[in-house]
């Protein structure tokens, strides 16, 4: 990649062979072992939570292990195609979308390659589609290459209603004017939208029926790297499979995602119809090794595996992998932001059914929704910026997206006042999405938008935020938080508590190194009764917490 920050911290930085448990460390050993040590600089205070975590990194009750979040580096194909050879013109008026898409398709037919967009402004009147693995769309830098988008997704594809009913536009949370998704999956989604058969958007097709069982899995504990299966004959090292967990009639899987115990057990799940539609939980993961009936994974298990959840490894739709977008600005024609949930689809960059893909050094401007992860896993967004007239979701992470990294990101202040009846969220996570990381962010507006749908085990770390957004989410989508949410070294510039200080809201959570904040506007109450088993440390401070960045510290373990 062209970004100079990709030196020590590569897109994942390690191979499958490193998928082994860490050695146990005592309170005085390893990173952060003393008040003057630890990642992120000398001096400062090491919270007891960090010392605990280093001893039990894969099973800590409040802090998730997110050290393997993000994409790994893929070798580049030698093929390089310049979009000008296919008819693209950097004059700002010629529609270059057909030429760019022809170049991308040619790279896909060749088995992968880099599609170069030189400096200049290229008008696009259609969606730019990356649908083949190994294809990278590369500009000359976000300050030098601009794609100027003149049309929205409603015009290009059609009205997209919600599968949950009502008059909402699903372009309010789906789709991008640069859309990375396997070609077959994209074609099926577009066909369903045009037929008004509003689809599920994830790994198992529009009706969630495009899968078959590979093998059942024996019971195992969260944090295990190796599981035992009934039949390993269809499993191969390097293959991507889905871990599929269906819920028990008593909703014990959802209770487990919330940390278990009296609070989740007393919660009434039966009427949360939107949440229940998200189950089964589907977690994509590559197989590292197969030895007899033992299978080692490239990441530790996100949850326990229990017989009552019918645990299986299954197939899925073909994934997009090793693909990326780099070094460009996508600017939409400036139009007023639409009323809440009626977005027309001037959306930025979306990764869907993508695994080990990335976006690097990309700015989106004047968009309804900025960067999206939709049933995307193990992907990295690095050096991204949302700018312009203001957006509904600057970042959204939904439909069972897991193990993603959003790093070095910026949400700029809006350039025009917000129109009436519009909504601003921020860095969104919802829909059973888990083990995602937002790291080193500059949020000049927005909030930490946990959007219901029981997301769990997500981390926000080393972020400065002017906390002026609002979270969303239907009541029938269930709780705002599952277990193991962590906010670590969060600098709140306007003193607003909402969605920042979560020790009285999120079960089995950790809030560490947060400025003193005060509740005002949209005051939430906990979803679960009783002791939340949440932790709060170094409250009222940010600069002293060591390690400063939880993700980087876990990577260095």
């Amino acid at each position: 990649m062209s970004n100079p920050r990709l030196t020590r911290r590569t897109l994942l930085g390690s191979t499958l062979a490193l998928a082994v448990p860490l050695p146990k460390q005592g309170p005085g050993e390893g990173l952060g072992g003393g008040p003057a040590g630890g990642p992120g600089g000398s001096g400062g205070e090491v919270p007891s939570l960090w010392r605990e975590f280093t001893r039990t990194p894969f099973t800590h009750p409040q802090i998730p292990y997110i050290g393997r979040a993000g994409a790994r580096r893929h070798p580049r194909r030698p093929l390089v195609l310049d979009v000008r050879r296919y008819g693209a013109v950097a004059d700002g008026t010629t529609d270059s979308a057909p030429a760019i898409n022809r170049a991308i398709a040619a790279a896909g037919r060749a088995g992968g390659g880099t599609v170069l967009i030189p400096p200049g402004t290229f008008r696009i009147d259609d969606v730019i589609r990356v649908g083949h693995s190994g294809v990278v769309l590369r500009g000359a830098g976000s300050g030098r290459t601009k794609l100027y988008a003149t049309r929205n997704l409603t015009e290009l594809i059609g009205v997209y209603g919600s599968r949950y009913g009502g008059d909402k536009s699903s372009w309010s949370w789906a789709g991008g004017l640069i859309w990375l998704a396997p070609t077959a999956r994209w074609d099926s989604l577009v066909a369903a939208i045009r037929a008004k058969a509003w689809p599920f958007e994830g790994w198992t097709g529009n009706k969630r029926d495009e899968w078959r069982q590979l093998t059942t899995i024996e019971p195992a504990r969260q944090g295990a790297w190796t599981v035992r299966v009934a039949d390993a004959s269809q499993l191969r090292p390097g293959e991507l499979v889905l871990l599929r967990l269906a819920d028990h009639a008593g909703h014990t899987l959802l209770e487990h995602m919330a940390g278990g115990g009296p609070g989740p057990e007393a919660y009434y799940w039966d009427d949360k119809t939107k949440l229940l539609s998200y189950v089964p939980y589907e977690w994509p993961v590559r197989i590292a090794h197969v030895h007899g009936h033992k299978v080692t994974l490239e990441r530790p298990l996100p949850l326990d595996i229990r017989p009552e959840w019918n645990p299986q490894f299954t197939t899925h739709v073909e994934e997009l992998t090793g693909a990326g977008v780099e070094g460009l600005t996508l600017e939409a024609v400036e139009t007023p932001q639409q009323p809440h949930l009626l977005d027309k689809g001037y959306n930025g960059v979306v990764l869907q059914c993508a695994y080990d893909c990335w976006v690097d050094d990309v700015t989106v401007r004047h968009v309804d929704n900025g960067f999206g992860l939709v049933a995307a896993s193990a992907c990295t967004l690095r050096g991204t910026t949302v700018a312009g007239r203001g957006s509904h979701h600057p970042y959204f992470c939904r439909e069972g997206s897991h193990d993603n990294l959003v790093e070095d990101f910026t949400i700029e202040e809006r350039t025009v006042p917000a129109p009436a009846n519009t909504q601003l969220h921020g860095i969104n996570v919802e829909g059973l999405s888990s083990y995602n990381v937002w790291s080193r962010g500059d949020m000049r507006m927005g909030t930490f938008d946990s959007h219901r749908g029981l997301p769990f085990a997500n981390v926000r770390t080393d972020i400065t935020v002017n906390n002026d957004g609002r979270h969303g989410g239907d009541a029938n989508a269930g709780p705002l938080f599952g277990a193991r949410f962590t906010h670590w070294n969060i600098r709140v510039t306007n003193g607003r508590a909402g969605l920042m200080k979560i020790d009285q809201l999120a079960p089995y959570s950790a809030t560490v190194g947060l400025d003193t904040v005060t509740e005002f506007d949209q005051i939430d109450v906990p979803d679960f009764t009783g002791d939340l088993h949440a932790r709060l440390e170094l409250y009222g401070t940010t600069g002293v917490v060591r390690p400063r960045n939880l993700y980087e510290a876990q990577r260095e373990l």
Side-chain angles (χ1 to χ4, degrees):
M1 293 193 176
S2 58
N3 194 325
R5 285 180 290 238
L6 291 180
T7 53
R8 178 172 56 85
R9 290 182 300 274
T10 59
L11 284 179
L12 191 122
S14 57
T15 64
L16 297 180
L18 293 180
V20 294
L22 302 177
K24 291 185 177 181
Q25 294 176 314
E29 300 172 335
L31 295 175
S42 59
E45 296 184 40
V46 179
S48 59
L49 274 163
W50 175 249
R51 293 191 174 93
E52 293 173 11
F53 177 83
T54 61
R55 294 193 290 271
T56 58
F58 308 125
T59 58
H60 193 277
Q62 280 86 19
I63 298 176
Y65 174 70
I66 40 82
R68 298 301 296 269
R72 60 188 175 93
R73 184 180 293 275
H74 285 256
R76 296 295 178 89
R77 299 276 183 167
L79 178 67
V80 177
L81 302 176
D82 191 316
V83 297
R84 292 173 295 187
R85 289 177 47 199
Y86 294 82
V89 182
D91 60 4
T93 58
T94 302
D95 178 17
S96 292
I100 295 171
N101 282 327
R102 283 195 295 269
I104 292 171
R109 288 193 299 270
T114 299
V115 175
L116 293 180
I117 309 179
T121 297
F122 295 82
R123 173 173 167 163
I124 57 170
D125 296 346
D126 200 356
V127 179
I128 302 301
R129 304 181 300 277
V130 179
H132 292 88
S133 294
V135 174
V136 178
L137 183 65
R138 179 192 291 172
S142 58
R144 302 181 67 201
T145 296
K146 180 192 292 185
L147 301 183
Y148 180 63
T150 63
R151 304 177 71 191
N152 58 57
L153 293 167
T154 301
E155 295 172 307
L156 294 170
I157 296 175
V159 172
Y160 187 4
S162 169
R163 66 179 185 250
Y164 301 105
D167 61 354
K168 301 172 183 176
S169 167
S170 285
W171 298 128
S172 300
W173 57 76
L177 292 170
I178 300 178
W179 199 328
L180 289 79
T183 295
R185 189 72 184 99
W186 193 86
D187 289 344
S188 70
L189 287 165
V190 169
I193 293 166
R194 288 176 173 163
K196 301 188 184 307
W198 314 131
F200 285 91
E201 301 156 277
W203 285 100
T204 50
N206 294 343
K207 297 180 180 180
R208 299 195 79 173
D209 58 358
E210 296 180 38
W211 62 276
R212 62 178 175 82
Q213 179 180 289
L214 295 172
T215 183
T216 58
I217 310 171
E218 295 185 7
R221 297 300 300 272
Q222 172 205 324
W225 294 79
T226 298
V227 296
R228 187 174 178 85
V229 301
D231 178 6
S233 62
Q234 299 186 76
L235 305 179
R236 301 288 183 272
E239 179 184 12
L240 185 71
V241 298
L242 280 187
L243 168 65
R244 189 176 195 270
L245 299 177
D247 204 358
H248 180 263
H251 305 299
T252 55
L253 176 61
L254 295 176
E255 291 172 2
H256 178 53
M257 292 175 180
E265 289 171 5
Y267 186 81
Y268 191 71
W269 303 94
D270 286 336
D271 63 348
K272 308 304 186 294
T273 54
K274 192 170 185 178
L275 172 62
L276 297 179
S277 76
Y278 298 152
V279 182
Y281 176 78
E282 295 170 336
W283 182 63
V285 65
R286 288 201 193 279
I287 294 172
H289 305 290
V290 179
H291 183 72
H293 289 273
K294 292 184 178 180
V295 178
T296 300
L297 308 174
E298 71 170 340
R299 289 176 170 83
L301 286 178
L303 294 164
D304 287 353
I305 290 179
R306 301 179 187 172
E308 59 265 32
W309 301 333
N310 191 22
Q312 310 169 58
F313 285 135
T314 75
T315 62
H316 49 82
V317 298
E318 182 181 0
E319 72 271 18
L320 183 73
T321 190
V325 179
E326 304 172 351
L328 58 82
T329 289
L330 172 66
E331 180 175 316
V333 59
E334 186 171 358
T335 59
Q337 186 178 348
Q338 294 297 298
H340 190 219
L341 300 176
L342 297 178
D343 296 344
K344 293 183 180 297
Y346 288 107
N347 295 347
V349 183
V350 164
L351 291 81
Q352 185 162 4
C353 295
Y355 194 93
D356 275 343
C357 294
W358 64 87
V359 178
D360 183 27
D361 181 29
V362 172
T363 294
V364 296
R365 184 174 289 115
H366 303 321
V367 293
D368 295 335
N369 300 281
F371 295 89
L373 297 159
V374 181
S377 292
C379 295
T380 293
L381 309 183
R382 177 175 284 120
T384 55
T385 299
V386 181
R389 50 85 156 156
S391 56
H392 179 195
H393 296 97
Y395 292 82
F396 55 98
C397 177
R398 50 176 295 271
E399 201 78 9
S401 291
H402 315 290
D403 303 301
N404 297 293
L405 170 65
V406 182
E407 186 174 52
D408 297 317
F409 66 96
T410 301
I411 303 173
E412 294 186 356
E413 292 182 62
R414 62 189 313 135
T415 54
V416 296
N421 302 316
T422 59
Q423 188 64 271
L424 165 66
H425 296 309
I427 52 174
N428 155 276
V429 62
E430 59 182 288
L432 303 186
S433 296
S434 63
Y435 294 86
N436 300 289
V437 183
W438 291 263
S439 170
R440 293 204 306 268
D442 179 9
M443 297 176 59
R444 301 168 199 172
M445 65 177 190
T447 194
F448 292 177
D449 174 31
S450 294
H451 211 83
R452 301 198 181 275
L454 198 65
F456 66 95
N458 296 285
V459 169
R460 289 93 170 223
T461 183
D462 196 8
I463 298 171
T464 300
V465 54
N466 179 44
N467 185 28
D468 64 354
R470 298 170 66 86
H471 77 74
D474 293 338
N476 66 359
L480 278 172
F481 301 97
R484 298 186 302 286
F485 258 82
T486 301
H487 291 175
W488 188 287
N489 191 14
I490 306 299
R491 302 169 291 275
V492 184
T493 61
N494 64 343
R496 179 173 178 248
L499 280 296
M500 302 289 128
K501 184 175 181 291
I502 57 174
D503 60 295
Q504 296 180 19
L505 292 175
Y508 291 92
S509 66
T511 304
V512 178
L514 175 74
D515 289 319
T516 302
V517 290
T518 303
E519 283 288 4
F520 60 92
D521 185 45
Q522 199 176 17
I523 298 172
D524 286 293
V525 297
D527 291 292
F528 304 108
T529 59
D531 187 354
L532 295 178
H533 302 280
R535 303 277 292 275
L536 177 68
E537 286 197 64
L538 298 181
Y539 178 54
T541 64
T542 53
V544 303
V545 60
R546 298 293 183 275
R548 294 178 185 270
N549 186 295
L550 183 62
Y551 167 73
E552 293 177 2
Q554 289 197 22
R555 291 282 291 146
E556 291 180 12
L557 272 175

